[in-house]
């Protein structure tokens, strides 16, 4: 499974970056599948997210790092906050990052910290014991292989312990200001399946990413994660979604 996942990532970005016009031969046109009503649904979600007052807006990864830190330190803090955020509420991740920053959050400071201390600082993030192990392993690799910085490609990022595709794409976006793909977490996975933004139902976020990137215009890739995560936190909840409060209730296939 891991091998297939990495291969799909590589193929997706080679094809996205390739341009047949460079050789003077235009790419053959093929009918592109698009979900019904998706543009109208997207505009309505933007309207519902206009206030940007969801937890992800106030305490998400983009609010967790020290923006005044040197670029290399800032990028490391972005990656660490992404690792902590897995299966953890934004409020808990934000608090853990604040405590880490109070101890001086750099590659060297984390490497000098013993596991017990690191565990006490990041608790109660989800799976905190595993994350202590992953953070120490990944930080050591960054020190040895990347001079204390983080990798510049998705392929290298997903090789780091505890770093998955969603984290890698967000790290590329936030830390390197590069749109490498759509970051699909449980909110994006759930909502795009409810809206039928995938040709057929997908079981895993990585399947959803590939399905979305097949048709969604690339200039929207950066926006989709924060837009749908906040929408999923406030309206399109995992259980008992607030369909009566949703502007899409008349054109959503899953509306109740």
């Amino acid at each position: 499974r891991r091998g297939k996942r990495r291969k799909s990532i590589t193929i997706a970005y080679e094809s996205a970056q390739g341009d047949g016009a460079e050789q003077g031969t235009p790419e053959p046109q093929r009918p592109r599948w698009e979900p019904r009503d998706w543009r109208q649904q997207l505009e309505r979600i933007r309207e519902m997210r206009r206030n940007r007052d969801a937890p992800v807006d106030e305490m998400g990864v983009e609010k967790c790092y020290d923006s005044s830190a040197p670029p290399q330190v800032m990028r490391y803090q972005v990656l660490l906050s992404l690792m902590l955020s897995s299966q953890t509420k934004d409020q808990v991740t934000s608090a853990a990052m604040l405590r880490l920053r109070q101890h001086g959050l750099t590659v060297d400071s984390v490497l000098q910290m013993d596991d017990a201390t690191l565990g006490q600082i990041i608790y109660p993030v989800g799976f905190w014991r595993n994350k202590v192990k992953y953070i120490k392993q990944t930080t050591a690799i960054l020190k040895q292989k990347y001079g204390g910085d983080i990798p510049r490609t998705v392929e290298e990022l997903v090789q780091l312990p505890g770093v998955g595709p969603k984290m890698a794409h967000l790290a590329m976006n936030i830390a390197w200001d590069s749109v490498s793909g759509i970051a699909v977490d449980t909110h994006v996975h759930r909502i795009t399946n409810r809206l039928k933004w995938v040709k057929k139902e997908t079981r895993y976020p990585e399947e959803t990413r590939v399905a979305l990137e097949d048709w969604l215009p690339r200039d929207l890739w950066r926006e989709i994660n924060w837009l749908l995560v906040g929408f999923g936190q406030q309206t399109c909840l995992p259980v008992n979604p607030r369909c009566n409060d949703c502007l899409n209730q008349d054109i959503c296939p899953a509306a109740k």
Side-chain angles (χ1 to χ4, degrees):
R1 286 180 54 83
R2 288 183 61 85
K4 289 182 180 178
R5 182 176 66 184
R6 288 174 189 149
K7 184 177 180 182
S8 67
I9 292 171
T10 304
I11 292 171
Y13 303 111
E14 287 177 351
S15 62
Q17 292 166 356
D19 188 352
E22 292 177 0
Q23 284 77 37
T25 54
E27 292 183 0
Q29 295 294 316
R30 61 181 175 89
R32 192 168 65 114
W33 177 86
E34 289 187 355
R36 181 180 178 182
D37 300 323
W38 76 270
R39 292 187 183 276
Q40 190 174 8
Q41 291 165 342
L42 178 63
E43 282 303 318
R44 292 181 180 183
I45 293 171
R46 284 175 176 152
E47 174 62 24
M48 288 183 279
R49 292 280 287 115
R50 184 161 47 91
N51 293 331
R52 297 192 177 211
D53 54 2
V56 69
D57 301 304
E58 299 170 354
M59 291 167 283
V61 169
E62 291 190 78
K63 302 290 185 180
C64 287
Y65 62 88
D66 181 3
S67 58
S68 65
Q72 185 168 305
V73 174
M74 179 273 288
R75 289 189 287 267
Y76 174 65
Q77 291 184 2
V78 168
L79 183 61
L80 230 62
S81 63
L82 287 166
M83 295 175 71
L84 292 175
S85 70
S86 175
Q87 296 182 280
T88 303
K89 290 185 180 296
D90 288 327
Q91 298 91 323
V92 178
T93 301
S94 177
M97 281 296 294
L98 183 60
R99 292 191 297 271
L100 279 169
R101 285 170 56 186
Q102 289 170 348
H103 284 74
L105 184 50
T106 66
V107 165
D108 289 332
S109 69
V110 169
L111 288 176
Q112 292 165 9
M113 197 180 297
D114 62 73
D115 290 6
T117 301
L118 181 57
Q120 289 172 355
I121 294 173
I122 69 171
Y123 179 85
V125 300
F127 301 98
W128 63 272
R129 290 185 179 87
N130 286 337
K131 289 177 182 177
V132 166
K133 178 178 67 176
Y134 293 147
I135 287 171
K136 294 299 284 287
Q137 291 174 345
T138 285
T139 304
I141 293 170
L142 298 181
K143 175 78 170 179
Q144 296 162 8
K145 189 174 179 180
Y146 298 98
D149 210 335
I150 72 171
R152 296 191 70 120
T153 68
V154 170
E155 289 80 7
E156 290 175 295
L157 283 163
V158 295
Q159 299 292 331
L160 298 170
V163 178
K166 180 208 76 171
M167 300 179 207
H169 291 303
L170 282 175
M172 291 296 294
N173 186 352
I174 301 168
W176 293 113
D177 192 28
S178 173
V179 180
S180 57
I182 300 172
V184 178
D185 69 347
T186 55
H187 291 291
V188 178
H189 173 66
R190 176 180 75 254
I191 293 167
T192 53
N193 271 273
R194 284 178 176 174
L195 291 171
K196 304 296 184 187
W197 282 12
V198 291
K199 280 185 182 181
K200 59 181 181 179
E201 185 177 357
T202 53
R203 295 182 60 189
Y204 305 105
E206 186 63 0
E207 287 181 74
T208 305
R209 178 190 67 79
V210 174
L212 289 173
E213 289 177 7
D214 188 53
W215 68 267
L216 189 70
R218 195 178 179 90
D219 60 352
L220 299 177
W221 289 9
R222 186 190 295 268
E223 175 187 23
I224 286 297
N225 181 268
W226 79 264
L227 192 69
L228 295 189
V229 169
F231 180 54
Q233 291 174 335
Q234 294 182 309
T235 306
C236 199
L237 306 176
V239 181
N240 297 322
R242 297 168 180 163
C243 296
N244 289 335
D245 299 329
C246 181
L247 299 180
N248 279 324
Q249 59 179 295
D250 61 327
I251 54 173
C252 175
K256 297 179 181 178

